[in-house]
Amino acid sequence: MTEGWKFAGAKFDDTLNNIGLALLIAGITQYYTDFRVRSRFYKDVSDNVIANETLRESGILKFFRDSKTCIPAKVLDSAKTLDVGVTYSDRFLKDNIGILVSRAGSIRVRVYCVDADDADVRRLVALNTGFSDDDVRAEYRKLTRIVDDLVSKGVNIELFKQKTLPHYSFYIIDDYYFLTMSTFASRRATVPLFQMDQSSPLALLIREDRDHVMALNSTNEKQATPQ
């Protein structure tokens, strides 16, 4: 019955569940509630509907205040692809190494990170994190060692490097998209995480960044190939 209706600029049939109780209360009280009070009430309903609609359009499905509380083990158990984008952190791979080894031959893993073998890149990372050059080099070595370890255990894993500093990190498990936020203070802290719909603008941004890094690596490999 409500198909095609609109309320406060939103599709009525999409938002009816959110405002149904509010409209019921408004209907019951409309005959004896002061007009100005009722007007403010309707504005509150309208603001909430618009906010909910905007959130849905953004494609954000869940928010985790601490990314460590989002444990994707169940999803990884059946995943076919895993993309991990980081600065140099090995945490995601380290936390899930057992699952990845058990899925060797069944899952394809791609890791995107900075090229910390490059001295200019290390200086850039050190400047933005407050770490020393040696610290950055050591953290990067942890990542490359765990990648080498997974390769030795038969996991199909590739490493893609870039010579710029990423402004966020991410992981994609099949069609599940997750984006983590860095802190403004460039310090160790709780890192928030968003889960997004695969068709969202943020998911599109991640795919474009990922594909760009892969394309750069492909170009570099061609240039390094003897003619």
Side-chain angles (χ1 to χ4, degrees), residues 84-88 110-118 121-122 140-141 143-145 147-148 158-166 209-221:
V84 181
V86 293
T87 302
Y88 51 63
R110 294 178 294 200
V111 179
Y112 311 85
C113 64
V114 300
D115 183 3
D117 288 324
D118 186 303
V121 174
R122 286 200 307 276
Y140 177 68
R141 289 289 173 252
L143 174 62
T144 55
R145 278 198 297 268
V147 169
D148 290 341
E158 298 174 272
L159 189 66
F160 297 90
K161 305 173 186 178
Q162 61 169 332
K163 295 184 182 297
T164 58
L165 183 70
D209 278 358
R210 177 197 63 185
D211 295 347
H212 182 67
V213 173
M214 283 196 292
L216 285 176
N217 274 255
S218 175
T219 301
N220 291 337
E221 287 172 3

Side-chain angles (χ1 to χ4, degrees), residues 37-138:
V37 174
R38 194 163 69 243
S39 176
R40 287 196 296 272
F41 176 81
Y42 278 121
K43 185 178 185 303
D44 286 343
V45 173
S46 173
D47 289 347
N48 277 281
V49 170
I50 292 173
N52 288 337
E53 191 73 11
T54 301
L55 185 61
R56 274 191 296 274
E57 289 174 357
S58 73
I60 296 174
L61 302 176
K62 291 182 181 179
F63 171 75
F64 300 84
R65 184 177 181 274
D66 183 355
S67 60
K68 293 178 182 177
T69 64
C70 179
I71 310 298
K74 290 184 178 179
V75 183
L76 284 172
D77 278 340
S78 58
K80 294 180 179 179
T81 60
L82 167 65
D83 290 271
V84 181
V86 293
T87 302
Y88 51 63
S89 173
D90 68 335
R91 185 177 70 83
F92 188 89
L93 296 179
K94 182 176 64 177
D95 289 351
N96 296 285
I97 189 168
I99 298 175
L100 296 177
V101 171
S102 69
R103 301 288 324 286
S106 302
I107 187 171
R108 179 185 184 186
V109 183
R110 294 178 294 200
V111 179
Y112 311 85
C113 64
V114 300
D115 183 3
D117 288 324
D118 186 303
D120 290 333
V121 174
R122 286 200 307 276
R123 280 194 290 271
L124 179 63
V125 174
L127 179 65
N128 279 272
T129 60
F131 288 173
S132 68
D133 183 272
D134 287 341
D135 291 334
V136 174
R137 191 194 299 267

Side-chain angles (χ1 to χ4, degrees), residues 149-161:
D149 186 39
L150 287 169
V151 169
S152 71
K153 289 179 168 61
V155 179
N156 179 3
I157 182 168
E158 298 174 272
L159 189 66
F160 297 90
K161 305 173 186 178

